[in-house]
Amino acid sequence: ATKPQPRVAYIVPENGLGGVGRNTKVIIGFTQPLDPTTVTTNTVQTPYNGYASTRTLGDGPAGPNTVLTITPTALLGANQTYYTYVYTGIKSADGQTLLDNYYFSFSTGADSDTTAPTITDITPPNSATGVGLNQVINIYVSEPVNPTTVTASCVQLLQGCTPVAGRRQVTTGKAGPNSLI
């Protein structure tokens, strides 16, 4: 490779997660914009209990064409394991192949997920005083969230009514990967 190669940055649901809602979408985030013509059913496969789905390549934290959303066209089977394979045939917008093949799996539960995530804790605590100007603010969420939905329009730090500049990052929290903002 003559330039940095793209790689998988995050997945939802996380690898090996059980009890996933039967209505889940599979989300794969990449580190670089992808060439959409290389994201096909040959380069991203859902074998072994495969399912009919639509696939959408959209914008994410790493820029345009960096998030692949696989949406099943019907409810997934109850209590089944599903696999997703991502192959090096995928290329970045500048022609570099995916660094490594990547695969992950998850298992569904008996039902769909109908409960929205909730905030379970924050640091520093609400109404805290004497907080340093460089304090990292942590928002703990009850379940993994889609990192592409954590935007400046939905997560803001305000001083009075004025937004304070900062960087948003979704990482592993108390409820697993993608549950700490």
Side-chain angles (χ1 to χ4, degrees), residues 11-165:
I11 55 171
V12 177
E14 71 176 275
N15 187 31
L17 187 64
V20 173
R22 295 177 57 204
N23 59 334
T24 194
K25 295 179 181 182
V26 174
I27 300 164
I28 307 169
F30 296 89
T31 58
Q32 297 179 29
L34 302 179
D35 174 352
T37 64
T38 67
V39 181
T40 67
T41 55
N42 289 327
T43 58
V44 180
Q45 296 180 357
T46 54
Y48 315 113
N49 289 334
Y51 50 91
S53 63
T54 59
R55 295 160 185 241
T56 307
L57 191 59
D59 299 351
N65 293 329
T66 58
V67 176
L68 176 63
T69 303
I70 303 171
T71 306
T73 56
L75 286 179
L76 298 175
N79 305 310
Q80 292 188 17
T81 300
Y82 290 91
Y83 298 86
T84 303
Y85 292 86
V86 183
Y87 294 109
T88 57
I90 291 178
K91 294 183 179 181
S92 65
D94 65 4
Q96 302 302 310
T97 59
L98 190 68
L99 182 60
D100 293 306
N101 290 329
Y102 189 89
Y103 83 93
F104 61 97
S105 66
F106 64 91
S107 299
T108 55
D111 299 310
S112 295
D113 181 2
T114 58
T115 305
T118 59
I119 295 173
T120 59
D121 195 11
I122 57 172
T123 57
N126 190 27
S127 301
T129 59
V131 176
L133 296 176
N134 61 347
Q135 172 69 46
V136 173
I137 298 168
N138 292 314
I139 304 169
Y140 295 91
V141 187
S142 61
E143 64 181 276
V145 297
N146 176 350
T148 63
T149 64
V150 180
T151 64
S153 63
C154 68
V155 177
Q156 295 182 347
L157 175 61
L158 302 172
Q159 182 176 10
C161 295
T162 306
V164 176

